[in-house]
Amino acid sequence: MEMTYKMIGGDGQEYGPTTLAELEAWVLDGRLLPATLVWSSETGRWTEAGRLPELTGSFERVLPADKATVNAVEMVPAGAWRRFGAFVADILLIYLLGSLLWPVVAAWWGVEVKPAPEGGKLDDVLEFARQNNPLLFFLQVCRLCFEVVFVGGFGATPGKMMAGIRVVTSDGGRVGYLAAAMRFFGRLFCELPFNLGYLTLLLRTDRRGLHDLLSGTAVVRVHPGQKTRPALGGE
C-alpha cells in the first residue's frame, strides 16, 4: 500500500492526503519548506518536512546545503502591531457573531435582552454592562471557543491568517487544542490588571506574551519563502 501524507499549509490549514511524488513537486515549486509540518501514514505523527529522509534529496536540489534541514529555518517572531491588528479583527468578528447569537441564547436561557444605551456617556455604558453580565459571560465563552477551534485546529485565527502570522509551539510545532485553551486562559491573566501581562511581548526579543510563556507557544510570521496560498487542493 502506497504511503500517504498530509501537511499544514502556509494558511494554517490541513491538506491531504497526498503522495510522496506530489510532496517532492511542491518542494521544487517552493510551496513546501523544511519547517512545514507533514503527517506520514507510516509514522502516524506530525513532523517537520526537513526531518523526513525521503524529502532530503528534493530539499538539497532547491536549497543550500546549510538550509536543507529544519534546524536551519528560523522562526521570525510576529511584531506587536501586526499581532494587535489581528487581535482587533478577531474581536470584531467574535462580537459580531456573539451579538447575532445572543438573542437566541438569551431566549433559551430565559434572560431578558437589555437595549443598548442611546447616549455615549460612560455611566450609561457601565450600567449597561452591569445589567448584562450574562451577555459578557457569553461573549467570553465565544472567545474561548473561537480561540480553541482556530488556534488548536488550524494554527491561526481568521485575523492572524489575514495578518500572515500563526501560533506554534516554542519549538515550531503544531499547537493542539489543550495548549490553545491554556493560551486563552493565560490571555485573561494578561488583561488583568491593565493589560500588564502583554508587556513581555514588547520587552522580549521573541515577542512572546505572558500567555505564550504559560502555554509554551509563540506567534511567528509565515516564513518569507513560504507562499501563503494553499499547498494542496488547487490554486
Side-chain angles (χ1 to χ4, degrees):
M1 184 175 180
E2 185 178 13
M3 191 182 308
T4 58
Y5 301 84
K6 299 177 184 179
M7 66 164 288
I8 304 297
D11 56 1
Q13 299 188 41
E14 180 180 311
Y15 299 95
T18 187
T19 63
L20 177 60
E22 289 177 303
L23 287 186
E24 292 174 335
W26 291 322
V27 170
L28 300 179
D29 190 37
R31 300 167 69 178
L32 179 63
L33 296 176
T36 303
L37 291 177
V38 175
W39 179 90
S40 165
S41 61
E42 181 180 34
T43 62
R45 61 184 178 86
W46 292 90
T47 188
E48 295 87 350
R51 300 184 188 277
L52 296 176
E54 56 265 41
L55 292 177
T56 300
S58 298
F59 282 124
E60 289 178 347
R61 291 174 58 186
V62 297
L63 295 173
D66 61 340
K67 294 186 179 296
T69 62
V70 68
N71 293 328
V73 177
E74 180 183 3
M75 293 194 301
V76 181
W81 285 111
R82 185 181 290 265
R83 292 180 62 170
F84 178 73
F87 171 77
V88 170
D90 287 332
I91 286 295
L92 292 176
L93 179 58
I94 292 169
Y95 282 12
L96 174 61
L97 295 176
S99 298
L100 294 175
L101 292 174
W102 173 240
V104 178
V105 175
W108 181 63
W109 279 351
V111 176
E112 180 183 358
V113 178
K114 305 286 185 180
E118 296 181 359
K121 295 181 180 180
L122 178 60
D123 291 341
D124 294 337
V125 174
L126 293 177
E127 180 63 20
F128 173 75
R130 187 188 66 80
Q131 295 178 358
N132 285 274
N133 285 332
L135 171 59
L136 300 180
F137 174 76
F138 173 70
L139 290 176
Q140 288 299 322
V141 173
C142 289
R143 283 186 64 188
L144 171 61
C145 297
F146 186 88
E147 291 267 345
V148 171
V149 169
F150 279 103
V151 174
F154 303 99
T157 58
K160 287 182 172 59
M161 292 178 188
M162 289 187 293
I165 60 180
R166 62 183 300 181
V167 183
V168 297
T169 59
S170 56
D171 60 354
R174 185 183 185 188
V175 177
Y177 294 105
L178 179 59
M182 293 176 59
R183 189 173 186 273
F184 170 81
F185 289 110
R187 185 189 294 277
L188 298 182
F189 283 106
C190 287
E191 295 174 354
L192 297 173
F194 309 115
N195 293 315
L196 292 179
Y198 290 114
L199 285 178
T200 57
L201 191 152
L202 300 174
L203 299 176
R204 294 175 59 95
T205 56
D206 59 5
R207 296 294 182 258
R208 296 175 69 193
L210 178 61
H211 56 311
D212 291 314
L213 298 173
L214 292 174
S215 59
T217 61
V219 181
V220 299
R221 296 184 61 176
V222 174
H223 194 277
Q226 184 173 358
K227 301 177 182 178
T228 56
R229 58 179 174 170
L232 301 176
E235 296 294 335

